[in-house]
Amino acid sequence: MTTIAKPDVRGFYDEPSGSIGYVVSDPDTGRAVIIDPMLDYDEKAARISTATADLMLAYVTDRNFKVDWIFDTHPHADHLSAAAYLKEKIGAPTAIGEKIVEVQKIWRDIYNELDFPCDGAQWDKLFADGATFSIGNLPTRVMLTAGHTKASITYVIGDAAFVNDTLFQPDTGSARCDFPGGNAETQYDSIMSILALPPETRLFTGHDYRQGGRPAQWQSTVAEQRAASIHFKNRPSRDDYVRLRLARDKTLPLPRLILHALQFNLRGGRLPPPESNGRSYLRIPVNYF
Ligand SMILES: [Fe+2]
């Protein structure tokens, strides 16, 4: 019988956005990856700071981990990615799913940035659906799990799947699909593929909104989701799910930072190029939403 490799997983919770970034490490070799690291952003001052990313950095340096990769699961709409910041600090390559180029095209048009390069070159590696590789001794597989965005991918590392904004904790259900390029049908298929993983698979989500005021949580299993997810325990059909998802999405306000975040995150976690005075500016399309 083969035993499934079990990475050590440490989550870093960002209270303002309810996001979770992860350091995933191989206990045998000390090789590690960072998933969905975030920067801090003071909206009133338009000031970026790095306290949360620096906690992740200290965690890996204190343990002498060798970081092989910095992964984004998708372009986030509610916080700024620290991928480029951490790459500068530790030199590890960055990666995201190859469908990112489609999301770049959608937002290039929304921002009217016609010379924005939509080729994914802002990352070192673009993963195709089904890509496999190892992190130390941990077998790793990429699953395209689109729906929340066209580019969302899940990294399955040993017995742990980093499902980002597909499934949240069972008491919270699934992620919204109403941002440009989102699709509830695709989301249903993606979640079905996650729920088809072995029942003991640990699932690590991308957000937690502390349902009912409970402490933040970010870990479940496939078995727990199948038994208790408020959106999936009753085995909805695709049509049932889509109806429920679309109705729910109509009630949700946009994330506070969506227009700030996408133009930064679609550059791999970088500001737009500086203007003639040496300063970078964010663009806000008025009355788009
Ligand atoms: Fe998201």
Side-chain angles (χ1 to χ4, degrees):
M1 197 178 113
T2 52
T3 49
I4 301 174
K6 261 185 170 310
D8 288 333
V9 178
R10 167 71 195 273
F12 292 82
Y13 186 68
D14 175 52
E15 183 81 48
S17 66
S19 310
I20 302 111
Y22 295 96
V23 175
V24 185
S25 56
D26 175 12
D28 293 339
T29 63
R31 314 294 286 213
V33 296
I34 296 173
I35 302 180
D36 286 337
M38 66 287 271
L39 294 167
D40 306 293
Y41 186 72
D42 174 348
E43 196 183 354
K44 290 194 188 109
R47 175 161 292 280
I48 295 169
S49 55
T50 61
T52 310
D54 288 338
L55 286 176
M56 301 182 88
L57 190 57
Y59 179 82
V60 299
T61 51
D62 288 353
R63 286 160 185 76
N64 280 320
F65 288 156
K66 165 78 177 68
V67 178
D68 285 348
W69 290 101
I70 300 162
F71 291 151
D72 285 315
T73 54
H74 68 292
H76 303 280
D78 61 348
H79 65 271
L80 308 189
S81 167
Y85 170 72
L86 288 177
K87 176 183 160 137
E88 206 181 294
K89 292 281 174 193
I90 52 184
T94 58
I96 198 166
E98 66 178 2
K99 301 275 187 210
I100 192 67
V101 298
E102 294 183 26
V103 186
Q104 287 179 317
K105 284 176 198 148
I106 293 172
W107 285 91
R108 171 195 59 193
D109 294 347
I110 294 171
Y111 289 119
N112 196 33
E113 289 190 299
L114 299 180
D115 55 356
F116 182 81
C118 297
D119 57 4
Q122 299 85 349
W123 289 265
D124 297 303
K125 173 83 184 169
L126 302 183
F127 286 122
D129 186 22
T132 56
F133 54 99
S134 292
I135 299 158
N137 296 331
L138 302 169
T140 301
R141 178 164 59 96
V142 173
M143 292 167 65
L144 176 65
T145 48
H148 171 66
T149 74
K150 277 176 179 285
S152 299
I153 56 175
T154 288
Y155 297 94
V156 184
I157 306 174
D159 77 327
F162 295 84
V163 300
N164 67 88
D165 302 358
T166 53
L167 287 166
F168 298 136
Q169 287 299 90
D171 62 3
T172 310
S174 64
R176 65 195 300 174
C177 295
D178 59 332
F179 301 153
N183 184 300
E185 280 98 354
T186 313
Q187 170 90 309
Y188 179 85
D189 297 341
S190 295
I191 290 173
M192 287 297 119
S193 68
I194 291 166
L195 294 177
L197 292 168
E200 64 280 9
T201 307
R202 292 181 291 164
L203 303 183
F204 293 91
T205 187
H207 284 104
D208 186 68
Y209 301 112
R210 306 180 60 230
Q211 184 68 21
R214 62 157 169 71
Q217 305 170 351
W218 43 84
Q219 180 178 341
S220 63
T221 63
V222 167
E224 287 164 6
Q225 292 282 358
R226 295 186 76 97
S229 166
I230 57 164
H231 291 162
F232 287 93
K233 66 181 176 191
N234 294 329
R235 309 278 185 274
S237 69
R238 202 167 184 250
D239 287 349
D240 290 343
Y241 174 74
V242 169
R243 253 194 308 278
L244 176 152
R245 187 67 263 164
L246 296 182
R248 169 102 179 106
D249 286 350
K250 281 203 182 77
T251 70
L252 299 174
L254 284 171
R256 210 163 39 86
L257 293 180
I258 183 169
L259 292 169
H260 303 69
L262 265 307
Q263 59 195 297
F264 188 89
N265 294 338
L266 290 168
R267 289 182 163 87
R270 298 178 190 88
L271 285 166
E275 299 191 4
S276 57
N277 60 357
R279 190 169 296 287
S280 287
Y281 291 80
L282 295 176
R283 282 168 77 77
I284 300 294
V286 176
N287 291 336
Y288 174 76
F289 284 110

